[in-house]
Amino acid sequence: MDERTLEKALARAEALCAERGVRLTPQRRRVLELVCRAGHPIGAYDILSQIREGAAAAPPTVYRALDFLLEQGLVHKLETLHAYIGCTHPEHPHSSQFLICADCGDVTELEDESIVGSLRTAAAETGFKPSRPIVEVIGTCANCALKPPRK
Amino acid sequence: MDERTLEKALARAEALCAERGVRLTPQRRRVLELVCRAGHPIGAYDILSQIREGAAAAPPTVYRALDFLLEQGLVHKLETLHAYIGCTHPEHPHSSQFLICADCGDVTELEDESIVGSLRTAAAETGFKPSRPIVEVIGTCANCALKPPRK
DNA sequence: TTGCGGGACGTTATAAAGTTACTTTTGATT
DNA sequence: AATCAAAAGTAACTTTATAACGTCCCGCAA
Ligand SMILES: [Zn+2]
Ligand SMILES: [Zn+2]
Ligand SMILES: [Zn+2]
Ligand SMILES: [Zn+2]
């Protein structure tokens, strides 16, 4: 994520948190910044080591900030990667889907109504009430499909 | 999984592996048995501790067996639970979806064409080539929706 | 028969991800 | 100023997974 986009994302997060009456503390803001700046999924311990460049810190510091950011929908967790990524449209709560390129590591966040719809329908048929649908598709992105695999 | 079903599942696994020219060794068979017997998602270290009741064993023993069983499509991994479950229809390779009850822990394996279709369509729109679609829906199963939450 | 060569397994150690429990600080409210 | 809860600091620990290397066993070729 470039500097310009980052600024906007952080400003938007500030505004959202203010609106919701929750505190985007400096720590939380810092973690959000690191997640966004990475531009790709980043692990909790990667975040931690970057934080440690400026100050002492331990795992709970990062995990607490991530918990907050996840609750507020400002970041998402990619379960298959054990990594976190900034949300591209945090304004409204949503259930999104991720396309994860196994070659270059790029991730695309989708919000596809037809996927959500088919999930809902299938669940309803068995009487299941979904609360958190996880959809992570591993594969090859358009870019990487064109060129020989990296390495 | 009851004893009767278990027998059948193991026999089916034997047959499949023979057909494919791969070896369902005693270790692998034992791990498959433990996964199936559990009847619900079971962690690698739970499997390990059960194996240890009979003999010395270390994590790689279990993970290697699981890798084999995953490759052969005899078990699935639930990424959100870090746990493994027997496949209900291992005859043909497939990409399935899981409904995971957060209350009772029960998991239903679906093979829903409309979900797969909508995933394929959405991916195709961005030029993404899916190889491993992960779909795990956390929620409440029909049974648990009826009665007050456990605990 | 002997000597590969590869797959399966044993063993030790370590990495990576996440949590618990308890203390201290901070900041808003009264 | 006193109070209280949310946030952050800190140390230890648990859980999940992998790396690295050695051994055994079996099929097959020389
Ligand atoms: Zn999002
Ligand atoms: Zn790519
Ligand atoms: Zn299956
Ligand atoms: Zn249930």
Side-chain angles (χ1 to χ4, degrees), chain A residues 37-61:
Chain A
R37 201 183 281 280
H40 56 86
I42 181 173
Y45 277 72
D46 289 342
I47 297 169
L48 181 57
S49 71
Q50 289 191 246
I51 288 182
R52 277 176 167 159
E53 285 168 14
T61 296

Side-chain angles (χ1 to χ4, degrees), chain B residues 11-116:
Chain B
R12 194 166 45 170
E14 299 266 21
L16 274 173
C17 287
E19 207 172 288
R20 293 172 187 171
V22 296
R23 297 173 54 200
L24 185 65
T25 63
Q27 289 258 34
R28 292 166 173 176
R29 197 189 136 102
R30 175 82 177 121
V31 169
L32 178 58
E33 182 189 337
L34 290 171
V35 170
C36 290
R37 203 183 279 282
H40 56 85
I42 182 174
Y45 278 75
D46 288 342
I47 297 169
L48 181 57
S49 71
Q50 290 192 246
I51 287 182
R52 277 175 167 159
E53 284 167 16
T61 296
V62 170
Y63 282 105
R64 287 196 279 235
L66 286 172
D67 284 348
F68 171 85
L69 297 170
L70 288 168
E71 266 169 28
Q72 297 304 319
L74 295 168
V75 310
H76 295 293
K77 176 173 187 181
L78 296 169
E79 297 286 348
T80 50
L81 300 180
H82 304 287
Y84 305 82
I85 191 170
C87 177
T88 53
H89 44 316
E91 275 68 25
H92 55 110
H94 58 274
S95 119
S96 42
Q97 303 87 41
F98 299 93
L99 304 180
I100 302 172
C101 180
D103 187 32
C104 69
D106 256 32
V107 174
T108 303
E109 178 176 353
L110 300 179
E111 208 176 334
D112 185 295
E113 265 315 310
S114 83
I115 295 173
V116 173

Side-chain angles (χ1 to χ4, degrees), chain A residues 23 25-28 56 58-61 64:
Chain A
R23 296 173 54 200
T25 64
Q27 288 258 36
R28 290 166 174 176
T61 296
R64 287 197 280 234

